[in-house]
Amino acid sequence: MMSNIVLMPILIPFFGAIFLLLLPRKVVIQRILALITSIVLILANIYLVYYVYQNGIVAVTLGNWPAPFGISIVGDMLAVLLVTTTSLILLATLIYSFYSIGKPRERFLYYPAVLFMIVGVNGSFLTGDIFNLFVFFEVMLMASYVLLVLGGTTIQLKATVKYLLINVIGSAFLVVAIALLYSMLGTLNMADISQKISEIHGGNTGMITVVAVLFLFVFGLKAGIFPLYFWLPGSYFAPPIPVLALFGALLTKVGVYAIIRVYTLFFYNETSFALPLLSTLALVTIVLGVIGAISYYDMKTIMIYNILIAVGVILFSVSLMTRESMTGAIFYLIHDMLIKGTLFLVIGVIIAMTGFSSIKKFSGLMSVKPSLGWAFFIAALGLAGIPPLSGFIGKLLIIEGAFSVQNYVGGIVVLLSSLFVLLSMIKIFSKGFWGEKKGDFKLDIPYRKMMVPVLFLLVISVGYGIFSEAMYPLITKAVDPLVDPSIYIQAVLGE
């Protein structure tokens, strides 16, 4: 029965969202219930991390069917760390929403939509069935459509149309990829797929490569990898800050996680084409992300291009398929979720105070709110990977992993990207916070209340770097099934 606890990260937000749908106009009650749901979710996830650390991978097959015939939900350490990080970002974003999203949006089912999106995100992390990965993707995407369009501004409606079309195309290709895989192997269980792919020899290996590239196309579209990122800057610019924080911290990371899971479980032997392709595209993504980040003066746009840089860094590390590089990728993935959530919320406070997203429109903010300036500065250093903050540990492991397999070009690109990330952040800090005071600052916003979730995430992010040694056993346990798929297979199939 204890194995059923792996369902909690999906069931808690699901029932929370259902209950909130019954109270559509009661804004205060919606806030309280959403907050309680997120706190209960954090506690359940922390217990789940402890349980998996003590007992190993937790797998449950729904309906009492034996694997691979039933639908499997699998909680390995990677999945439970990601759902825990997701729940922390959810709590911070909900608290921030109370003071910024506005009652009109709150009355139109904002909180149920957020919780349904978390159902899709957590389900994507935990599913052990490739078709149900598609199902949870769709749950996540449908909720994100609602969040993107809520408010009905012209820029939101335009962005939603583009976002909707791109994701419908991606979903269609995902179904095709799953159908091809099923036609060859006759199974949808991810552990069973891994086992059967390893037994394939001869003519079918070419089709496996085709399916690997199809999955890279689909998940790369959702992650924002080159050349499939074209939709992301425009679509992510449109929604209000709390929604943007959720999108930036979580949605692209689900695509990254999906690539990590299928490539380490299914396609780890595809070294002739699929993995070199992933490596090349990841490096190009870093370069183009850097160009975007240093070219713009809009804070939101700069941060959106920094999302692309992080996606490229993580996926380049994954493509190396070594224990060291994979450890760096997982460490950096969790760091990036936390720091992106922090920085988008900080930028939201700046926009609320100045009325502008462009740093050309204001300056001298440090003289008004120095605490905001230092919070941004610390978060910016974390994003750039300055020691002892969490970005440094992940980048160091990734660069070491690249150099250990003689991929010096990739390692140098990742190293240089840190300098350009720092440059893009210092540009915001120097132009927006320093210099002569310019612009009308709104000091009547609920500044202290808005800073609570910012500091909450910032403290966790800083602690994640400073106490990285304490986190290392958990990260190592998360990496084990990635470098040795038999651990995952045995936990699910019991073979």
Side-chain angles (χ1 to χ4, degrees):
M1 285 298 290
M2 282 304 291
S3 62
N4 288 333
I5 62 166
V6 76
L7 298 172
M8 289 300 102
I10 300 170
L11 294 180
I12 291 169
F14 176 76
F15 285 115
I18 293 292
F19 198 68
L20 288 177
L21 286 175
L22 304 175
L23 304 160
R25 303 292 177 182
K26 312 275 187 186
V27 170
V28 175
I29 296 175
Q30 290 238 342
R31 289 177 179 177
I32 293 168
L33 291 178
L35 194 63
I36 291 170
T37 301
S38 65
I39 292 169
V40 171
L41 184 59
I42 290 172
L43 296 175
N45 287 338
I46 290 172
Y47 178 72
L48 189 55
V49 170
Y50 169 78
Y51 187 85
V52 171
Y53 184 72
Q54 294 294 327
N55 301 284
I57 297 173
V58 184
V60 60
T61 306
L62 304 182
N64 249 357
W65 285 82
F69 305 108
I71 296 170
S72 295
I73 302 294
V74 184
D76 66 343
M77 184 56 77
L78 172 58
V80 299
L81 284 175
L82 292 180
V83 297
T84 304
T85 309
T86 298
S87 62
L88 294 170
I89 293 163
L90 170 66
L91 176 62
T93 310
L94 286 175
I95 295 171
Y96 187 89
S97 298
F98 298 163
Y99 310 107
S100 67
I101 200 70
K103 287 193 176 179
R105 284 190 175 97
E106 288 179 304
R107 288 196 186 99
F108 281 93
L109 306 178
Y110 169 75
Y111 296 111
V114 168
L115 292 180
F116 274 124
M117 194 182 89
I118 299 302
V119 171
V121 170
N122 287 350
S124 299
F125 289 147
L126 291 167
T127 184
D129 181 285
I130 193 69
F131 185 76
N132 276 281
L133 180 61
F134 164 73
V135 171
F136 282 119
F137 262 47
E138 292 308 299
V139 172
M140 176 184 77
L141 290 171
M142 282 189 283
S144 68
Y145 300 151
V146 174
L147 291 170
L148 191 55
V149 80
L150 208 59
T153 62
T154 304
I155 187 172
Q156 282 181 276
L157 294 172
K158 286 180 179 176
T160 303
V161 171
K162 185 196 299 182
Y163 183 74
L164 181 63
L165 287 173
I166 291 298
N167 281 293
V168 165
I169 292 167
S171 297
F173 274 100
L174 179 54
V175 172
V176 170
I178 293 169
L180 280 172
L181 205 56
Y182 184 75
S183 69
M184 286 187 285
L185 306 175
T187 182
L188 294 170
N189 184 282
M190 291 164 76
D192 201 32
I193 290 170
S194 177
Q195 199 170 50
K196 289 185 174 176
I197 285 178
S198 66
E199 297 166 359
I200 287 179
H201 303 287
N204 274 339
T205 54
M207 278 306 296
I208 293 297
T209 302
V210 171
V211 173
V213 173
L214 259 179
F215 274 121
L216 179 57
F217 169 76
V218 172
F219 297 141
L221 189 66
K222 297 181 190 302
I225 195 170
F226 172 83
L228 306 168
Y229 71 90
F230 57 89
W231 60 272
L232 195 145
S235 295
Y236 277 25
F237 187 85
I241 286 293
V243 176
L244 176 53
L246 285 171
F247 283 16
L250 303 180
L251 292 199
T252 50
K253 305 310 181 296
V254 175
V256 169
Y257 166 82
I259 292 174
I260 293 172
R261 181 63 76 195
V262 299
Y263 269 74
T264 57
L265 201 53
F266 303 168
F267 308 124
Y268 52 89
N269 287 324
E270 292 301 311
T271 53
S272 60
F273 185 77
L275 285 172
L277 176 65
L278 175 60
S279 178
T280 303
L281 295 179
L283 290 175
V284 176
T285 304
I286 295 172
V287 173
L288 293 176
V290 161
I291 292 169
I294 62 175
S295 299
Y296 287 93
Y297 287 87
D298 185 278
M299 293 184 293
K300 289 202 290 186
T301 306
I302 291 169
M303 280 306 303
I304 289 166
Y305 276 100
N306 272 295
I307 292 173
L308 298 181
I309 298 171
V311 166
V313 168
I314 295 163
L315 292 180
F316 165 72
S317 189
V318 170
S319 71
L320 302 176
M321 284 290 172
T322 65
R323 174 173 282 278
E324 194 169 38
S325 69
M326 208 64 74
T327 304
I330 300 312
F331 198 97
Y332 195 80
L333 174 60
I334 295 169
H335 145 79
D336 195 66
M337 292 169 73
L338 291 168
I339 206 68
K340 287 294 193 305
T342 306
L343 278 164
F344 276 120
L345 294 185
V346 172
I347 286 170
V349 178
I350 296 171
I351 293 171
M353 190 168 292
T354 63
F356 297 105
S357 182
S358 173
I359 50 177
K360 288 183 174 181
K361 302 285 180 69
F362 66 91
S363 62
L365 194 54
M366 189 64 108
S367 63
V368 181
K369 290 291 180 187
S371 57
L372 179 62
W374 292 120
F376 176 85
F377 185 67
I378 294 167
L381 295 182
L383 182 69
I386 303 300
L389 302 172
S390 54
F392 171 73
I393 311 295
K395 281 262 179 86
L396 182 64
L397 288 167
I398 290 169
I399 293 164
E400 285 180 357
F403 286 170
S404 68
V405 294
Q406 283 80 51
N407 194 327
Y408 299 112
V409 173
I412 290 168
V413 169
V414 171
L415 185 61
L416 290 176
S417 73
S418 294
L419 298 176
F420 287 106
V421 168
L422 183 60
L423 181 64
S424 71
M425 291 290 102
I426 292 300
K427 180 168 66 176
I428 296 174
F429 188 64
S430 61
K431 290 186 179 295
F433 285 93
W434 295 105
E436 185 182 336
K437 185 179 171 185
K438 182 174 78 174
D440 295 322
F441 299 144
K442 301 170 190 169
L443 301 180
D444 57 343
I445 65 166
Y447 173 74
R448 290 185 179 178
K449 293 175 180 176
M450 293 173 81
M451 286 299 291
V452 167
V454 170
L455 296 176
F456 170 72
L457 284 183
L458 184 60
V459 167
I460 293 171
S461 177
V462 171
Y464 182 57
I466 292 173
F467 300 106
S468 56
E469 198 170 329
M471 286 296 299
Y472 201 77
L474 298 179
I475 302 294
T476 302
K477 211 169 182 66
V479 170
D480 286 342
L482 302 181
V483 295
D484 182 8
S486 65
I487 297 171
Y488 187 94
I489 294 167
Q490 188 171 358
V492 178
L493 301 180
E495 297 176 4

Coordinates of all heavy atoms in Angstrom, one line a residue, residues 197 199-209:
I197 N 13.9 -2.6 -26.8 CA 14.8 -1.9 -27.8 C 16.2 -2.5 -27.7 O 16.9 -2.7 -28.7 CB 14.8 -0.4 -27.5 CG1 13.5 0.2 -28.0 CG2 16.0 0.3 -28.1 CD1 13.4 1.7 -27.8
E199 N 17.1 -5.4 -27.2 CA 17.1 -6.7 -27.9 C 17.0 -6.7 -29.4 O 17.1 -7.7 -30.1 CB 16.0 -7.6 -27.3 CG 16.1 -7.9 -25.8 CD 14.8 -8.5 -25.3 OE1 13.8 -8.6 -26.0 OE2 14.7 -8.8 -24.0
I200 N 16.8 -5.4 -29.9 CA 16.6 -5.3 -31.4 C 18.0 -5.3 -32.1 O 18.9 -4.6 -31.6 CB 15.8 -4.0 -31.7 CG1 14.4 -4.2 -31.3 CG2 16.0 -3.6 -33.2 CD1 13.5 -3.0 -31.6
H201 N 18.1 -6.0 -33.1 CA 19.3 -6.1 -33.9 C 18.9 -6.0 -35.4 O 17.8 -6.4 -35.8 CB 20.1 -7.3 -33.7 CG 20.5 -7.5 -32.2 ND1 21.5 -6.7 -31.6 CD2 20.0 -8.3 -31.3 CE1 21.6 -7.1 -30.3 NE2 20.7 -8.1 -30.1
G202 N 19.8 -5.6 -36.3 CA 19.5 -5.7 -37.7 C 18.8 -4.5 -38.3 O 18.9 -3.4 -37.9
G203 N 17.8 -4.8 -39.2 CA 17.1 -3.8 -40.0 C 16.3 -2.8 -39.2 O 16.2 -1.7 -39.6
N204 N 15.8 -3.2 -38.0 CA 14.9 -2.3 -37.2 C 15.6 -1.2 -36.5 O 15.0 -0.3 -36.0 CB 14.1 -3.1 -36.2 CG 12.8 -3.7 -36.9 OD1 12.3 -3.2 -37.9 ND2 12.3 -4.7 -36.3
T205 N 17.0 -1.3 -36.4 CA 17.7 -0.3 -35.7 C 17.6 1.0 -36.4 O 17.6 2.1 -35.7 CB 19.2 -0.7 -35.6 OG1 19.7 -1.0 -36.9 CG2 19.4 -1.9 -34.7
G206 N 17.5 1.0 -37.7 CA 17.3 2.3 -38.5 C 16.0 3.0 -38.1 O 15.9 4.2 -37.9
M207 N 14.9 2.2 -37.9 CA 13.6 2.8 -37.5 C 13.7 3.3 -36.1 O 13.0 4.3 -35.7 CB 12.5 1.7 -37.6 CG 12.0 1.5 -39.0 SD 11.4 3.1 -39.7 CE 10.0 3.5 -38.7
I208 N 14.5 2.7 -35.2 CA 14.6 3.2 -33.8 C 15.3 4.6 -33.9 O 14.9 5.5 -33.1 CB 15.5 2.2 -33.0 CG1 14.7 0.9 -32.8 CG2 15.9 2.8 -31.6 CD1 13.4 1.0 -32.0
T209 N 16.2 4.8 -34.8 CA 16.9 6.1 -34.9 C 15.8 7.1 -35.4 O 15.8 8.3 -34.9 CB 18.0 6.0 -35.9 OG1 19.0 5.1 -35.4 CG2 18.7 7.4 -36.1

